[in-house]
Amino acid sequence: MNAPNASGWKPGTPVTVDHAMDGPPTVTGNRALMLEEPLIFEIGNSETTGVDFSSPPPEGEGLPNRLGGFERSEPINLPGLSEPETVRHYTRLSRQNYAIDLGLFPLGSCTMKHNPRLNEKVARLPGFADCHPLAPIQTVQGALGVIHELSEWLKALTGMPAVAMSPKAGAHGELCGILAIRAALEARGDVRKVVLCPESAHGTNPATAAFAGYEVEDIPANADGRVDFEALEARLGPDIAAVMITNPNTCGLFERDFKRIADAVHAAGGLVYCDGANFNAIVGRVRPGDLGVDAMHINLHKTFSTPHGGGGPGSGPVVFSEALAPFAPLPFVEKLDDGSFHLVEEETAQEHHASTFGRMTAFHGQMGMFTRALAYILSHGADGLKQVAEDAVLNANYILRSLEDVLAAPFAHSGHCMHEALFGDEGFGGGLSTLDLAKGLIDEGFHPMTMYFPLVVHGAMLVEPTETESKASLDQFIAALRSVAERAKAGDETLKSAPHYAPRRRLDETQAARKPVLAWQDPPATSSAPAGTPSRSERGGR
């Protein structure tokens, strides 16, 4: 007799498939390698286990109870699966994800480049992978040497005299820079309240300034997609603490007036923070310190090869000008005269770093990111890093010029773009939107680009190919995006229900954001489905 599984499906019962795919429905819901994977609670239940245990002897017999009152008072309610079931479940799920190892990842401003396997091999070497933050200094000299050498490279590439390696990511680095700026202003008795953020700045900049206690004011962009210098200059005054400016900016353009802007801000007594999220476009070509930057974070997980996602991994070192170097956070690695290394922390900071604003994090940083980044830098060398920027810019301009006839490119007239190409939704027919185009691109086998950012362009689509893509892969992506764009301009109604060939149909993203189901709940006795758990169709099932 065929019994239903935990989801209520009974072997031999056809599964309804709501995708527009050729062929008859299948009993399992699978379409060859397009697998219909149930939730892990639908595979196993809490009454079974993948391991056999002997029944424990009654209390008072055999071994004494050593739990000290911490005995479980209710069932653990975890699914019981064998090892093959568990491995297969997560492997099948992984095949439904998009990854840089599967294809081009066009997310603008994210710099999702190929990560050389050499970097991973180095990061997994004993002594790096198992380095403990509380290990005695004398036992981790090699790790501290890596951090120090990487910091020297970052200072050389940016033309800045100091660097804080501890920030864990870009936004964390932004906060580090703004806290150093605040400490420098307070040290000279100059309390200022406002931070200026151009419209073309990275999206986290105003949030960082507000989090640090500053009022935030926008500076508009000009018709070329760059900072309106006259508007910025007119707003400068004794209340302006800093300007947070992204260069190249989020329109994919180099700020030609950056040095002029920095000089004006300094003349008004303010300081200049540069968002280094887009450093990949200028690494080896431009030193931000030469432009008048006082602080800038560098996303090691962008420029120096480790693709980021899911909240990590990340690392956001911050470089500082001479004006801010005394206020940089602790700890930092210092090389001694005998060639050894030590960490300057609170106990020794008073000797030669008494003005530090404090500490950003409990320990020094992300060792895996440091080793990957240094391996990437050393394998490229100074000339190779210069080529990284040149090829990234070349690839982005190839995409821009290949698609500007079919997609609105509002700043194509502004000259060459840098690391990313920016498009808009002007000319789409039938009420179609950028979201519809993005869902159609999924059917073509590509992860969508960054959407609706920056806000200066309606229906923005931000595409960053990076330097690691070949012309063949770019041509395939261009052909796919061109096809979907032509359908959008023609008002193709099928785009409104795309994607049609993905593991899940289009989700209700508003409902998912406002009423997310984040935890499994025990099913009620009268139902085979867990309470509060969406049905297969509600959660986008096939």
Side-chain angles (χ1 to χ4, degrees):
M1 177 179 178
N2 290 332
N5 70 2
S7 67
W9 172 75
K10 184 178 180 181
T13 304
V15 175
T16 301
V17 179
D18 64 1
H19 271 48
M21 304 178 87
D22 294 332
T26 59
V27 168
T28 59
N30 297 337
R31 294 292 183 123
L33 293 180
M34 182 73 79
L35 303 177
E36 176 60 32
E37 183 62 16
L39 299 177
I40 195 168
F41 283 90
E42 295 174 322
I43 301 173
N45 59 65
S46 58
E47 302 304 318
T48 62
T49 178
V51 181
D52 290 329
F53 291 102
S54 300
S55 298
E59 189 172 348
E61 300 179 15
L63 295 174
N65 187 326
R66 295 180 295 176
L67 296 178
F70 288 98
E71 296 91 344
R72 184 181 296 122
S73 59
E74 57 186 39
I76 194 170
N77 293 326
L78 292 176
L81 279 71
S82 66
E83 182 173 303
E85 287 177 313
T86 306
V87 171
R88 289 168 184 165
H89 172 71
Y90 287 106
T91 301
R92 288 192 291 257
L93 285 181
S94 73
R95 292 171 60 176
Q96 297 183 3
N97 288 336
Y98 194 84
I100 193 67
D101 288 342
L102 294 176
L104 184 151
F105 227 123
L107 285 171
S109 195
C110 283
T111 316
M112 298 288 282
K113 65 171 76 175
H114 170 70
N115 180 33
R117 293 305 179 261
L118 170 65
N119 301 0
E120 291 301 316
K121 184 175 182 179
V122 172
R124 284 167 172 73
L125 288 174
F128 295 142
D130 57 0
C131 183
H132 195 282
L134 292 178
I137 294 296
Q138 64 270 23
T139 68
V140 290
Q141 287 292 299
L144 295 181
V146 165
I147 297 172
H148 182 269
E149 184 170 357
L150 176 59
S151 69
E152 292 298 306
W153 270 98
L154 297 180
K155 289 189 288 186
L157 289 169
T158 58
M160 307 281 268
V163 60
M165 299 295 291
S166 57
K168 294 296 197 297
H172 202 213
E174 290 174 24
L175 180 61
C176 176
I178 291 299
L179 292 179
I181 287 173
R182 186 172 69 184
L185 293 173
E186 290 176 350
R188 72 188 193 197
D190 190 2
V191 178
R192 297 179 174 220
K193 298 181 178 180
V194 179
V195 169
L196 302 179
C197 290
E199 290 180 343
S200 57
H202 203 264
T204 52
N205 289 179
T208 295
F211 185 80
Y214 286 103
E215 299 173 16
V216 179
E217 294 185 15
D218 294 335
I219 297 297
N222 60 26
D224 287 339
R226 297 180 173 91
V227 174
D228 186 328
F229 177 77
E230 285 70 26
L232 182 143
E233 186 179 39
R235 182 58 189 87
L236 292 177
D239 60 335
I240 302 300
V243 60
M244 297 184 76
I245 184 170
T246 305
N247 193 31
N249 67 30
T250 51
C251 296
L253 303 170
F254 190 82
E255 293 287 354
R256 296 169 178 164
D257 289 333
F258 196 102
K259 185 64 169 64
R260 187 181 174 200
I261 291 170
D263 289 345
V265 173
H266 289 150
L271 293 158
V272 178
Y273 184 89
C274 181
D275 186 304
N278 301 332
F279 190 47
N280 197 63
I282 60 174
V283 61
R285 293 281 301 181
V286 176
R287 299 196 314 171
D290 297 336
L291 301 178
V293 171
D294 291 299
M296 184 183 85
H297 80 266
I298 303 169
N299 297 85
L300 296 186
H301 54 283
K302 291 186 178 186
T303 304
F304 301 112
S305 86
T306 310
H308 61 299
S315 185
V318 179
V319 288
F320 295 103
S321 66
E322 289 186 9
L324 289 185
F327 306 96
L330 300 172
F332 62 89
V333 175
E334 187 172 64
K335 188 173 184 179
L336 302 178
D337 293 339
D338 64 1
S340 64
F341 303 93
H342 79 119
L343 282 175
V344 176
E345 302 197 63
E346 285 82 352
E347 295 80 2
T348 56
Q350 294 303 317
E351 299 172 5
H352 57 301
H353 200 65
S355 299
T356 175
F357 72 74
R359 180 180 284 263
M360 287 296 297
T361 185
F363 302 110
H364 193 72
Q366 223 277 33
M367 198 65 221
M369 299 302 303
F370 295 156
T371 51
R372 290 184 188 94
L374 185 58
Y376 181 87
I377 289 171
L378 293 178
S379 63
H380 280 77
D383 56 339
L385 292 175
K386 178 173 175 285
Q387 186 178 350
V388 162
E390 292 170 348
D391 290 349
V393 171
L394 177 65
N395 284 354
N397 279 277
Y398 183 58
I399 285 180
L400 176 65
R401 301 308 171 187
S402 297
L403 292 168
E404 62 179 333
D405 64 318
V406 69
L407 280 172
F411 300 120
H413 68 279
S414 299
H416 297 309
C417 69
M418 297 299 290
H419 56 300
E420 57 196 0
L422 178 59
F423 302 101
D425 64 356
E426 182 181 350
F428 286 7
L432 293 172
S433 67
T434 291
L435 181 66
D436 298 317
L437 180 144
K439 299 300 185 183
L441 195 58
I442 293 174
D443 278 337
E444 295 288 347
F446 287 100
H447 191 288
M449 68 293 286
T450 295
M451 300 183 296
Y452 301 113
F453 178 76
L455 300 178
V456 294
V457 173
H458 190 275
M461 292 169 275
L462 197 58
V463 179
E464 181 177 4
T466 81
E467 75 284 352
T468 57
E469 297 300 330
S470 67
K471 183 176 182 298
S473 67
L474 293 179
D475 286 338
Q476 184 183 44
F477 174 76
I478 289 168
L481 184 51
R482 170 176 287 276
S483 172
V484 180
E486 289 173 345
R487 291 167 59 196
K489 294 183 74 172
D492 185 347
E493 287 288 319
T494 63
L495 285 176
K496 292 185 178 180
S497 55
H500 302 98
Y501 308 116
R504 289 287 176 265
R505 61 177 171 79
R506 186 181 295 206
L507 305 179
D508 186 332
E509 297 181 13
T510 301
Q511 284 289 92
R514 294 180 178 176
K515 298 181 179 180
V517 179
L518 302 177
W520 175 268
Q521 299 178 18
D522 287 328
T526 57
S527 173
S528 61
T533 301
S535 68
R536 193 173 297 278
S537 62
E538 288 173 327
R539 65 175 189 264
R542 298 209 313 262

